[in-house]
DNA sequence: GCGATTTGACCCCCC
DNA sequence: AGGGGGGTCAAATCG
């Protein structure tokens, strides 16, 4: 990853680990595409750290794995969505052990609302351009 | 300097 | 008991 930050490789799919296949991407810097319809993750008030993303070939959907920022908290969150579809399926695992979140953002307390969401899922796989 | 995010590979569980 | 697939960790990079 030398040029940009968010670029997904279609090679990672299901457990069938990688099979020799490398593509050279030497694009000057064709990024910053004005995506109009980005999917945002519904903020539940807790801060999550993404620790993995994989394409589940079983259902042909992309699954993202999020974990609670707190180590004492064994809460985990999984986000599943189909490529080219705005529907998101959020699955929670475990429960939070620390008190309630300080409102939107977990840390930006005084912040009643506004920009609580930040994960642009669709932009992660198709660069914001739905093929189907 | 820290925190977050991303990607590849490895591990573990389930069937 | 083994394999496949899903799940997790770790390293690197960017802000």
């Amino acid at each position: 990853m030398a040029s940009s930050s968010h670029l997904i490789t279609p090679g990672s799919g299901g457990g069938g680990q990688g099979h020799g296949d490398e593509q050279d991407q030497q694009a000057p810097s064709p990024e910053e595409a004005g995506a109009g319809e980005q999917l945002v993750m519904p903020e539940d008030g807790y801060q999550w750290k993404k620790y993995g993303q994989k394409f589940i070939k079983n259902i042909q959907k992309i699954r993202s794995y999020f974990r609670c920022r707190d180590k004492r908290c064994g809460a985990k969150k999984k986000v599943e969505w189909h490529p080219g579809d705005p529907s998101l399926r959020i699955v929670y695992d475990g429960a939070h052990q620390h008190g309630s979140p300080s409102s939107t953002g977990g840390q930006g307390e005084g912040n009643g609302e506004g920009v609580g969401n930040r994960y642009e899922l669709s932009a992660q796989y198709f660069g914001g351009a739905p093929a189907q």
Side-chain angles (χ1 to χ4, degrees):
Chain A
M1 312 131 227
S3 15
S4 303
S5 0
H6 340 340
L7 270 170
I8 315 290
T9 43
S12 22
Q17 229 57 285
H19 285 336
D21 197 322
E22 268 159 54
Q23 285 230 301
D24 231 80
Q25 194 151 14
Q26 39 180 223
S29 47
E31 48 199 77
E32 214 55 37
E37 229 100 324
Q38 320 142 159
L39 285 175
V40 223
M41 213 225 283
E43 227 335 321
D44 16 20
Y46 291 100
Q47 291 269 233
W48 306 90
K49 189 221 304 141
K50 192 204 254 163
Y51 68 88
Q53 183 175 342
K54 273 249 274 293
F55 181 85
I56 311 301
K57 73 181 235 168
N58 265 15
I59 53 189
Q60 225 177 10
K61 280 191 189 133
I62 300 156
R63 223 180 212 173
S64 295
Y65 303 93
F66 295 92
R67 221 164 147 182
C68 193
R69 267 271 279 59
D70 200 297
K71 201 229 165 211
R72 262 97 162 124
C73 191
K76 287 188 285 197
K77 183 159 101 185
K78 301 160 172 140
V79 185
E80 188 177 311
W81 78 91
H82 352 24
D85 234 309
S87 357
L88 286 174
R89 180 195 191 174
I90 319 269
V91 185
Y92 288 81
D93 239 325
H96 300 280
Q97 286 192 3
H98 49 109
S100 48
S102 325
S103 283
T104 318
Q107 218 174 67
E109 47 244 27
N111 191 341
E113 228 174 273
V115 195
N117 323 321
R118 57 210 245 231
Y119 299 109
E120 290 149 49
L121 303 176
S122 68
Q124 287 202 312
Y125 209 73
F126 291 129
Q132 290 184 15

